[in-house]
Amino acid sequence: MIQPIFESKLFSEGGHAEIWLSDDENRILLQMKSKVSFGSLNLYVKSYRPAPTATAPLNRSPKPSDH
């Protein structure tokens, strides 16, 4: 889970959001919860299928070492 910082009028001042990503090399957005100026927003992925041309994982920068 990550907690982004938004600079938008949709999201209230000091708003809070949580985003869940898949635990693989593709980091697919699975869920997002946020408080917005008019209430709250909860998004959930119902299904996923890779693009027809995707045959390999996305190229990602190497993760920083834990040193």
Side-chain angles (χ1 to χ4, degrees):
M1 180 197 37
I2 58 174
Q3 294 180 320
I5 298 171
F6 296 103
E7 294 184 15
S8 167
K9 293 189 183 212
L10 175 65
F11 298 93
S12 58
E13 184 76 24
H16 178 78
E18 296 174 341
I19 296 176
W20 284 261
L21 303 173
S22 63
D23 189 21
D24 62 14
E25 61 274 4
N26 294 314
R27 301 292 188 243
I28 300 163
L29 175 73
L30 300 173
Q31 178 178 340
M32 178 177 155
K33 292 185 177 183
S34 180
K35 293 182 181 174
V36 291
S37 59
F38 53 85
S40 63
L41 178 67
N42 296 307
L43 304 171
Y44 304 92
V45 171
K46 290 176 70 174
S47 66
Y48 167 80
R49 71 185 149 123
T53 58
T55 57
L58 299 174
N59 292 329
R60 300 283 184 185
S61 301
K63 293 182 181 178
S65 63
D66 293 347
H67 299 304

mmCIF file of all heavy atoms in Angstrom, residues 6 10-11 16-20 29 31-44:
data_model
loop_
_atom_site.group_PDB
_atom_site.id
_atom_site.type_symbol
_atom_site.label_atom_id
_atom_site.label_comp_id
_atom_site.label_asym_id
_atom_site.label_seq_id
_atom_site.Cartn_x
_atom_site.Cartn_y
_atom_site.Cartn_z
ATOM 1 N N PHE A 6 -2.005 14.434 -2.786
ATOM 2 C CA PHE A 6 -2.705 15.051 -3.902
ATOM 3 C C PHE A 6 -2.745 16.562 -3.725
ATOM 4 O O PHE A 6 -2.942 17.053 -2.630
ATOM 5 C CB PHE A 6 -4.156 14.555 -3.993
ATOM 6 C CG PHE A 6 -4.270 13.098 -4.293
ATOM 7 C CD1 PHE A 6 -4.573 12.192 -3.304
ATOM 8 C CD2 PHE A 6 -4.075 12.636 -5.580
ATOM 9 C CE1 PHE A 6 -4.700 10.844 -3.589
ATOM 10 C CE2 PHE A 6 -4.198 11.294 -5.881
ATOM 11 C CZ PHE A 6 -4.507 10.396 -4.876
ATOM 12 N N LEU A 10 -10.425 18.515 -5.772
ATOM 13 C CA LEU A 10 -11.294 17.367 -5.542
ATOM 14 C C LEU A 10 -10.991 16.726 -4.190
ATOM 15 O O LEU A 10 -11.888 16.329 -3.463
ATOM 16 C CB LEU A 10 -11.128 16.342 -6.669
ATOM 17 C CG LEU A 10 -11.892 15.029 -6.505
ATOM 18 C CD1 LEU A 10 -13.394 15.278 -6.533
ATOM 19 C CD2 LEU A 10 -11.506 14.061 -7.596
ATOM 20 N N PHE A 11 -9.724 16.642 -3.860
ATOM 21 C CA PHE A 11 -9.307 16.048 -2.599
ATOM 22 C C PHE A 11 -9.181 17.159 -1.564
ATOM 23 O O PHE A 11 -8.568 18.184 -1.807
ATOM 24 C CB PHE A 11 -7.975 15.306 -2.763
ATOM 25 C CG PHE A 11 -8.089 14.171 -3.731
ATOM 26 C CD1 PHE A 11 -7.784 14.354 -5.065
ATOM 27 C CD2 PHE A 11 -8.533 12.929 -3.319
ATOM 28 C CE1 PHE A 11 -7.901 13.316 -5.974
ATOM 29 C CE2 PHE A 11 -8.664 11.886 -4.218
ATOM 30 C CZ PHE A 11 -8.341 12.081 -5.546
ATOM 31 N N HIS A 16 -6.549 12.303 2.692
ATOM 32 C CA HIS A 16 -5.869 11.036 2.927
ATOM 33 C C HIS A 16 -6.283 10.054 1.833
ATOM 34 O O HIS A 16 -7.455 9.967 1.484
ATOM 35 C CB HIS A 16 -6.281 10.499 4.305
ATOM 36 C CG HIS A 16 -5.689 9.184 4.638
ATOM 37 N ND1 HIS A 16 -4.393 9.050 5.061
ATOM 38 C CD2 HIS A 16 -6.206 7.934 4.588
ATOM 39 C CE1 HIS A 16 -4.147 7.770 5.286
ATOM 40 N NE2 HIS A 16 -5.227 7.079 4.998
ATOM 41 N N ALA A 17 -5.321 9.338 1.294
ATOM 42 C CA ALA A 17 -5.619 8.315 0.289
ATOM 43 C C ALA A 17 -4.726 7.107 0.538
ATOM 44 O O ALA A 17 -3.614 7.236 1.049
ATOM 45 C CB ALA A 17 -5.383 8.856 -1.114
ATOM 46 N N GLU A 18 -5.234 5.954 0.179
ATOM 47 C CA GLU A 18 -4.467 4.711 0.248
ATOM 48 C C GLU A 18 -4.662 3.973 -1.067
ATOM 49 O O GLU A 18 -5.785 3.863 -1.565
ATOM 50 C CB GLU A 18 -4.962 3.837 1.401
ATOM 51 C CG GLU A 18 -4.760 4.475 2.754
ATOM 52 C CD GLU A 18 -5.376 3.660 3.881
ATOM 53 O OE1 GLU A 18 -6.247 2.803 3.614
ATOM 54 O OE2 GLU A 18 -4.991 3.899 5.033
ATOM 55 N N ILE A 19 -3.565 3.486 -1.628
ATOM 56 C CA ILE A 19 -3.602 2.759 -2.897
ATOM 57 C C ILE A 19 -2.903 1.419 -2.704
ATOM 58 O O ILE A 19 -1.779 1.369 -2.210
ATOM 59 C CB ILE A 19 -2.914 3.563 -4.027
ATOM 60 C CG1 ILE A 19 -3.678 4.855 -4.274
ATOM 61 C CG2 ILE A 19 -2.822 2.732 -5.297
ATOM 62 C CD1 ILE A 19 -3.027 5.766 -5.290
ATOM 63 N N TRP A 20 -3.596 0.341 -3.098
ATOM 64 C CA TRP A 20 -3.025 -0.999 -3.030
ATOM 65 C C TRP A 20 -2.608 -1.417 -4.432
ATOM 66 O O TRP A 20 -3.384 -1.319 -5.375
ATOM 67 C CB TRP A 20 -4.048 -1.996 -2.489
ATOM 68 C CG TRP A 20 -4.269 -1.905 -1.019
ATOM 69 C CD1 TRP A 20 -3.719 -2.698 -0.052
ATOM 70 C CD2 TRP A 20 -5.130 -0.994 -0.334
ATOM 71 N NE1 TRP A 20 -4.176 -2.325 1.181
ATOM 72 C CE2 TRP A 20 -5.042 -1.278 1.042
ATOM 73 C CE3 TRP A 20 -5.956 0.054 -0.751
ATOM 74 C CZ2 TRP A 20 -5.756 -0.570 2.003
ATOM 75 C CZ3 TRP A 20 -6.661 0.765 0.199
ATOM 76 C CH2 TRP A 20 -6.559 0.451 1.556
ATOM 77 N N LEU A 29 -2.817 -1.520 -10.160
ATOM 78 C CA LEU A 29 -3.680 -0.887 -9.167
ATOM 79 C C LEU A 29 -4.823 -1.835 -8.841
ATOM 80 O O LEU A 29 -5.582 -2.235 -9.722
ATOM 81 C CB LEU A 29 -4.234 0.435 -9.707
ATOM 82 C CG LEU A 29 -5.237 1.137 -8.810
ATOM 83 C CD1 LEU A 29 -4.523 1.758 -7.615
ATOM 84 C CD2 LEU A 29 -5.986 2.196 -9.579
ATOM 85 N N GLN A 31 -6.785 -1.437 -5.612
ATOM 86 C CA GLN A 31 -7.783 -0.783 -4.780
ATOM 87 C C GLN A 31 -7.301 0.621 -4.433
ATOM 88 O O GLN A 31 -6.109 0.859 -4.285
ATOM 89 C CB GLN A 31 -7.974 -1.595 -3.500
ATOM 90 C CG GLN A 31 -8.934 -1.037 -2.505
ATOM 91 C CD GLN A 31 -9.084 -1.945 -1.290
ATOM 92 O OE1 GLN A 31 -8.783 -3.123 -1.329
ATOM 93 N NE2 GLN A 31 -9.552 -1.384 -0.208
ATOM 94 N N MET A 32 -8.256 1.545 -4.293
ATOM 95 C CA MET A 32 -7.927 2.904 -3.858
ATOM 96 C C MET A 32 -9.039 3.407 -2.956
ATOM 97 O O MET A 32 -10.217 3.250 -3.275
ATOM 98 C CB MET A 32 -7.785 3.841 -5.047
ATOM 99 C CG MET A 32 -7.502 5.267 -4.648
ATOM 100 S SD MET A 32 -7.266 6.299 -6.105
ATOM 101 C CE MET A 32 -7.719 7.883 -5.438
ATOM 102 N N LYS A 33 -8.666 3.978 -1.831
ATOM 103 C CA LYS A 33 -9.618 4.595 -0.912
ATOM 104 C C LYS A 33 -9.126 6.005 -0.632
ATOM 105 O O LYS A 33 -7.936 6.221 -0.417
ATOM 106 C CB LYS A 33 -9.706 3.820 0.401
ATOM 107 C CG LYS A 33 -10.325 2.456 0.272
ATOM 108 C CD LYS A 33 -10.478 1.797 1.622
ATOM 109 C CE LYS A 33 -11.172 0.460 1.493
ATOM 110 N NZ LYS A 33 -11.383 -0.161 2.804
ATOM 111 N N SER A 34 -10.043 6.955 -0.643
ATOM 112 C CA SER A 34 -9.662 8.339 -0.409
ATOM 113 C C SER A 34 -10.827 9.140 0.143
ATOM 114 O O SER A 34 -11.987 8.852 -0.151
ATOM 115 C CB SER A 34 -9.184 8.986 -1.712
ATOM 116 O OG SER A 34 -8.822 10.328 -1.476
ATOM 117 N N LYS A 35 -10.498 10.142 0.930
ATOM 118 C CA LYS A 35 -11.488 11.116 1.355
ATOM 119 C C LYS A 35 -11.432 12.260 0.363
ATOM 120 O O LYS A 35 -10.365 12.749 0.028
ATOM 121 C CB LYS A 35 -11.184 11.605 2.768
ATOM 122 C CG LYS A 35 -11.357 10.522 3.810
ATOM 123 C CD LYS A 35 -11.094 11.018 5.195
ATOM 124 C CE LYS A 35 -11.271 9.874 6.185
ATOM 125 N NZ LYS A 35 -10.900 10.264 7.529
ATOM 126 N N VAL A 36 -12.585 12.663 -0.140
ATOM 127 C CA VAL A 36 -12.677 13.762 -1.093
ATOM 128 C C VAL A 36 -13.550 14.858 -0.486
ATOM 129 O O VAL A 36 -14.184 14.657 0.548
ATOM 130 C CB VAL A 36 -13.245 13.283 -2.455
ATOM 131 C CG1 VAL A 36 -12.256 12.386 -3.173
ATOM 132 C CG2 VAL A 36 -14.562 12.562 -2.297
ATOM 133 N N SER A 37 -13.585 16.015 -1.144
ATOM 134 C CA SER A 37 -14.286 17.160 -0.592
ATOM 135 C C SER A 37 -15.776 16.907 -0.347
ATOM 136 O O SER A 37 -16.381 17.539 0.503
ATOM 137 C CB SER A 37 -14.096 18.375 -1.502
ATOM 138 O OG SER A 37 -14.586 18.094 -2.800
ATOM 139 N N PHE A 38 -16.388 15.954 -1.051
ATOM 140 C CA PHE A 38 -17.825 15.700 -0.915
ATOM 141 C C PHE A 38 -18.132 14.371 -0.233
ATOM 142 O O PHE A 38 -19.272 13.944 -0.185
ATOM 143 C CB PHE A 38 -18.509 15.747 -2.291
ATOM 144 C CG PHE A 38 -17.864 14.848 -3.302
ATOM 145 C CD1 PHE A 38 -18.208 13.521 -3.388
ATOM 146 C CD2 PHE A 38 -16.885 15.349 -4.154
ATOM 147 C CE1 PHE A 38 -17.603 12.679 -4.315
ATOM 148 C CE2 PHE A 38 -16.285 14.530 -5.094
ATOM 149 C CZ PHE A 38 -16.644 13.194 -5.169
ATOM 150 N N GLY A 39 -17.139 13.684 0.314
ATOM 151 C CA GLY A 39 -17.371 12.404 0.983
ATOM 152 C C GLY A 39 -16.160 11.504 0.893
ATOM 153 O O GLY A 39 -15.040 11.924 1.179
ATOM 154 N N SER A 40 -16.358 10.264 0.468
ATOM 155 C CA SER A 40 -15.237 9.338 0.321
ATOM 156 C C SER A 40 -15.354 8.598 -1.004
ATOM 157 O O SER A 40 -16.419 8.523 -1.612
ATOM 158 C CB SER A 40 -15.199 8.348 1.479
ATOM 159 O OG SER A 40 -16.357 7.547 1.486
ATOM 160 N N LEU A 41 -14.229 8.060 -1.435
ATOM 161 C CA LEU A 41 -14.134 7.375 -2.716
ATOM 162 C C LEU A 41 -13.481 6.025 -2.469
ATOM 163 O O LEU A 41 -12.402 5.958 -1.870
ATOM 164 C CB LEU A 41 -13.288 8.221 -3.669
ATOM 165 C CG LEU A 41 -13.006 7.699 -5.058
ATOM 166 C CD1 LEU A 41 -14.303 7.659 -5.859
ATOM 167 C CD2 LEU A 41 -11.997 8.591 -5.754
ATOM 168 N N ASN A 42 -14.143 4.949 -2.873
ATOM 169 C CA ASN A 42 -13.595 3.599 -2.744
ATOM 170 C C ASN A 42 -13.663 2.930 -4.103
ATOM 171 O O ASN A 42 -14.748 2.740 -4.653
ATOM 172 C CB ASN A 42 -14.388 2.771 -1.728
ATOM 173 C CG ASN A 42 -14.294 3.353 -0.342
ATOM 174 O OD1 ASN A 42 -13.209 3.582 0.160
ATOM 175 N ND2 ASN A 42 -15.422 3.610 0.272
ATOM 176 N N LEU A 43 -12.514 2.592 -4.656
ATOM 177 C CA LEU A 43 -12.441 1.945 -5.970
ATOM 178 C C LEU A 43 -11.813 0.566 -5.813
ATOM 179 O O LEU A 43 -10.817 0.412 -5.116
ATOM 180 C CB LEU A 43 -11.586 2.782 -6.925
ATOM 181 C CG LEU A 43 -12.008 4.231 -7.130
ATOM 182 C CD1 LEU A 43 -10.956 4.979 -7.926
ATOM 183 C CD2 LEU A 43 -13.345 4.289 -7.826
ATOM 184 N N TYR A 44 -12.397 -0.427 -6.475
ATOM 185 C CA TYR A 44 -11.892 -1.792 -6.427
ATOM 186 C C TYR A 44 -11.821 -2.356 -7.839
ATOM 187 O O TYR A 44 -12.743 -2.162 -8.620
ATOM 188 C CB TYR A 44 -12.831 -2.690 -5.601
ATOM 189 C CG TYR A 44 -13.068 -2.194 -4.202
ATOM 190 C CD1 TYR A 44 -14.148 -1.366 -3.916
ATOM 191 C CD2 TYR A 44 -12.204 -2.533 -3.170
ATOM 192 C CE1 TYR A 44 -14.374 -0.904 -2.630
ATOM 193 C CE2 TYR A 44 -12.416 -2.069 -1.886
ATOM 194 C CZ TYR A 44 -13.504 -1.254 -1.619
ATOM 195 O OH TYR A 44 -13.714 -0.799 -0.354
#
